[in-house]
Amino acid sequence: MPPAPSATASLTTRPSATRPSATAPSITAEAYDRLAQVMPSLTVTELEPTEPFPRGGGWVTAAELAEGGAALETFLAWDDAQVVRDYGRKARPDVVAGFGLHRYAWPACLLITVPWFLHRRVPRLPVTHVSYDRTGDGMRMAVRAPSSFACLPGDPAALAPGAQVVPDEEALRAEVRAAIAEHHEPLLAAFGPHTRRRGRALWGMVTDEVVEGLWYVAQLFGSDEHERARRELELLPPGATRPYVGSAAFRELTGPDGESLPTRDRASCCMFYTVRPDDTCVSCPRTRDADRVAKLTMAAVAAS
């Protein structure tokens, strides 16, 4: 179960957005609609302020996951069964928990990073504002429109209720980091004992989800946006910025014909090698550069 959503069908993440048509668009609606144009298999539905979250089936709120207990056990049972179904063997419980955390955190980070990247708006979405279902065909998220958000001076949304105007780009990046940390902190407290990982290792996972999620989506927006995302992400977690671990860690490798092959070094390992020892992610710290070049070259040929 490599972490990149393009690496395996079980992790394909292609969002689309819907919202009630009778109300004015929220400050995130345009960003989610743009996301829908390039990745139509994760449905992001924005709810009215008093509209209840969807229930039944595989729906679970982020708040229920953060509470742990039966909701989290049921959530992880899906990952346990998926590994057996797709790979024909059981995974360790801590590995299963890591897979489950990854599969939630990857799209959850996009709910915050995509509006920031496209429109310089940073919604505050605590766990009480998000619900998730990945048990059907694709994944679905239901999001309560944010009651507060950060933006820059000159944004028309600065006059909207709940707007917090910050002075510059660095202040807005700080809001991105704070919003993602606010959402994930209670989730890491619940998932942590199951993953057998603690603070630094868990926040390393979140750092990777932030970087790899947006970098992946930006390439679907276009080559210019892909390169812009790299520049933006290099500034977002610039280093020892607590609670995050490390930087975006992008670097270049040289392909067999002298071509440049962009890659990055993950801050964490998803432990997929414990399921398939010979199959590591291209950005995994366990993957040697020679193997990275081979994987990246094959991917480029397949995409051409």
Side-chain angles (χ1 to χ4, degrees), residues 12 28 51 64 66-67 118 149 151 198 215 272:
T12 298
T28 52
E51 186 178 358
E64 289 170 329
E67 291 171 0
L118 292 179
F149 66 97
C151 64
R198 297 188 177 182
W215 197 35
F272 183 68

Side-chain angles (χ1 to χ4, degrees), residues 19-153:
R19 62 180 184 273
S21 58
T23 61
S26 75
I27 59 94
T28 52
E30 189 176 353
Y32 296 157
D33 284 346
R34 175 79 184 279
L35 193 55
Q37 295 171 10
V38 296
M39 298 177 66
S41 99
L42 166 75
T43 302
V44 181
T45 301
E46 294 190 290
L47 303 175
E48 297 281 4
T50 60
E51 186 178 358
F53 282 113
R55 306 300 299 180
W59 282 104
V60 62
T61 66
E64 289 170 329
L65 292 178
E67 291 171 0
L72 182 55
E73 294 288 350
T74 300
F75 184 82
L76 295 179
W78 187 94
D79 295 280
D80 190 29
Q82 177 271 322
V83 172
V84 174
R85 181 182 67 247
D86 290 357
Y87 305 116
R89 58 174 296 178
K90 293 277 288 184
R92 294 186 339 223
D94 60 307
V95 175
V96 168
F99 290 178
L101 176 57
H102 157 71
R103 285 176 170 138
Y104 174 81
W106 197 91
C109 288
L110 291 176
L111 296 175
I112 296 168
T113 59
V114 169
W116 163 69
F117 179 70
L118 292 179
H119 302 296
R120 289 305 192 254
R121 297 172 184 172
V122 182
R124 285 297 182 115
L125 296 172
V127 292
T128 53
H129 280 49
V130 178
S131 186
Y132 179 61
D133 174 28
R134 44 66 186 280
T135 60
D137 182 15
M139 293 188 287
R140 299 181 290 173
M141 302 191 90
V143 180
R144 202 169 300 289
S147 56
S148 65
F149 66 97
C151 64
L152 293 171

